[in-house]
Amino acid sequence: VAAPQLLAWSDDLAARLGLARPPARGPAVDALAGNLVTGSMKPFAARYGGHQFGNWAGQLGDGRAIALGELAAPDGTRWEIQLKGAGPTPYSRRADGRAVLRSSVREFLCSEAMHHLGVPTTRALSLVGTGDQVVRDMFYNGNPQAEPGAIVARVAPSFVRFGNFQLLAASGEIDNLRALADYVIRHHFPALGAPGPEVYLRWFEEVARRTAVMVAQWMSVGFVHGVMNTDNMSILGLTIDYGPYGWLEPYDPAWTPNTTDFGQRRYAFGQQPAVALWNLWQLGQALVPLVAQPNDLNQGLDRHRATLATTRAALLRQKLGLLHDLPDDSALLDALPEALAEAEVDMTIFFRRLSHLAPALLAAAPTGEEAAFQTLLAEAGYLPQPHPGTAPLLAWLPRYLARLRHEPAAPEATRRTMLAANPKYVLRNYLAQNAIQAAEKGDLSYLETLLQVLQKPYDEQPEHEELAAKRPAWAWDLPGCATLSCSS
């Protein structure tokens, strides 16, 4: 690339890897831009297939991602370093393999934001501007634009996907299928034992369990991946490939940020648990040649269902400060999602404000509860107040508060529990867009501030209150804020 320059760096990840922040220009940045391949690097792009929007797409592969090799961290763990957007690969399918600053900022920030939210994810080490222009048609509507290019160095123990196994099975490469499974088990699931038919079943069950935990955590923080194709599913249960993602602002189970999915809404927020199960079924189909009884793979799907249900329930109870089971809890919890949707409240703001409000009301006189709840919905909601859509949630809140009074914990302990489960700061699309627009003008200060704030999403950080605000009016229809594409 023409003029590589370091634009952003994750000090947190770098410390984990035992790396120091390099100067803005120089040999280290040349390596992070793909211009310099050292003697110890063995760059490769991976071959895989996948189901895209429910349809088998055949061979895909890393079209714009190139792994440089593995790095041993000071603690002995091993991490794969992969450049995204550094140029064409054998799987670029006539494309240039480049990435634009817009999509690279989004991937860099979201990788780190998700990690600090506690969600399993790949990480991002660096963001490097290339000095080149890259032509992209953001919405595939015949309006290509030249945009500044950039490259993300992303990091994970492995980037192996469901689609790696799917392609080998589809092409009848059973020896390679077994070799890949054996490699993954030995290096990333060693506690399961030596690879073999029984261990393959336990491994699939563990992959299914990890996937369930990941998706449950997505649902808990209101994250929408936007493109849950099987080639975008990590075999380690990590969130991978940050494209047209978003966070629920008005709570809407049918919302997807991905314009490509507006017809089906296959990957909408509320569909993510079902799609994860469908994707695991496809992975199981690929592993059939490795096991003696294919029906035994259903144990993994059952484990996924059970783990997803129990994890989602546990996370919701933490968000509400309800840590002890009572007989009527299921009815109370089951009524909440529909009430949130009717009221069109901002999911992040609602739960964060409730974390302060509910414990405070426990210690106050009950006469002010109704007014306090109406204020909460006015602050967290997008509907004009008063509005009939808020009625179900206004009816639910007193029921919830009455239930909360049966918790044995003191109000302050309840508040701490809730604040630890309800982030104040998430990477809203309009915040990412602000960072992109500033970076395109050469101003990296907003990006850096955002990165620092998102590393402490559960802290109050009152000096950055504006980064916890609802989606502003100007962002409702702005490309990159409300609508994105697989090119995003």
Side-chain angles (χ1 to χ4, degrees), residues 44-368:
F44 68 91
R47 171 179 172 248
Y48 50 80
H51 283 85
Q52 298 193 325
F53 298 94
N55 299 305
W56 176 245
Q59 180 170 292
L60 300 167
D62 284 329
R64 58 174 178 170
I66 302 170
L68 300 180
E70 280 188 343
L71 175 72
D75 64 0
T77 55
R78 302 189 70 82
W79 298 83
E80 186 176 314
I81 311 294
Q82 187 181 82
L83 303 185
K84 186 171 181 179
T89 78
Y91 310 108
S92 294
R93 291 175 285 165
R94 300 178 303 280
D96 59 12
R98 304 293 181 183
V100 295
L101 181 62
R102 163 175 50 85
S103 62
S104 301
V105 166
R106 288 176 54 81
E107 174 126 14
F108 176 83
L109 284 174
C110 201
S111 300
E112 292 304 281
M114 291 284 272
H115 170 74
H116 291 283
L117 283 168
V119 181
T121 181
T122 57
R123 302 287 303 272
L125 175 64
S126 64
L127 173 68
V128 172
T130 64
D132 294 320
Q133 293 290 301
V134 178
V135 176
R136 286 291 180 272
D137 186 350
M138 180 176 177
F139 290 112
Y140 313 117
N141 58 3
N143 292 295
Q145 302 286 332
E147 302 182 48
I151 297 166
V152 174
R154 58 184 187 178
V155 179
S158 173
F159 287 93
V160 173
R161 306 146 183 268
F162 289 11
N164 293 99
F165 299 93
Q166 285 185 280
L167 186 61
L168 295 174
S171 57
E173 299 176 49
I174 306 308
D175 288 343
N176 280 339
L177 177 70
R178 182 174 290 103
L180 180 60
D182 291 356
Y183 172 86
V184 168
I185 291 168
R186 288 192 178 106
H187 287 268
H188 301 290
F189 299 82
L192 297 178
E198 290 301 315
V199 169
Y200 296 141
L201 290 172
R202 293 203 297 271
W203 168 57
F204 179 64
E205 191 172 331
E206 176 61 11
V207 172
R209 185 198 68 81
R210 293 189 188 188
T211 302
V213 170
M214 176 190 73
V215 173
Q217 292 183 322
W218 289 359
M219 304 301 286
S220 179
V221 297
F223 175 76
V224 188
H225 184 280
V227 61
M228 288 178 68
N229 296 327
T230 56
D231 56 294
N232 292 337
M233 299 292 291
S234 159
I235 204 69
L236 301 185
L238 305 175
T239 314
I240 191 172
D241 283 339
Y242 291 99
Y245 63 78
W247 265 266
L248 290 190
E249 287 170 311
Y251 187 96
D252 179 4
W255 182 72
T256 175
N258 188 352
T259 56
T260 313
D261 196 28
F262 278 4
Q264 283 185 281
R265 299 196 178 270
R266 177 182 178 83
Y267 299 141
F269 175 71
Q271 295 299 317
Q272 292 181 136
V275 172
L277 180 63
W278 191 91
N279 288 346
L280 282 163
W281 190 87
Q282 298 298 336
L283 174 62
Q285 289 290 103
L287 299 180
V288 163
L290 304 184
V291 301
Q293 297 293 331
N295 284 342
D296 290 345
L297 289 161
N298 287 325
Q299 297 170 13
L301 301 182
D302 292 341
R303 179 71 180 278
H304 174 82
R305 292 186 188 95
T307 301
L308 184 63
T310 57
T311 307
R312 287 191 70 183
L315 291 173
L316 179 56
R317 297 181 74 90
Q318 289 172 18
K319 291 174 78 67
L320 295 170
L322 305 177
L323 303 186
H324 296 79
D325 288 324
L326 291 183
D328 294 333
D329 282 355
S330 293
L332 179 70
L333 299 181
D334 290 347
L336 179 57
E338 185 175 344
L340 292 173
E342 287 287 327
E344 295 188 25
V345 293
D346 187 292
M347 181 176 175
T348 304
I349 294 175
F350 173 80
F351 279 106
R352 185 70 179 190
R353 298 287 174 90
L354 189 66
S355 303
H356 290 292
L357 176 62
L361 289 176
L362 292 178
T367 54

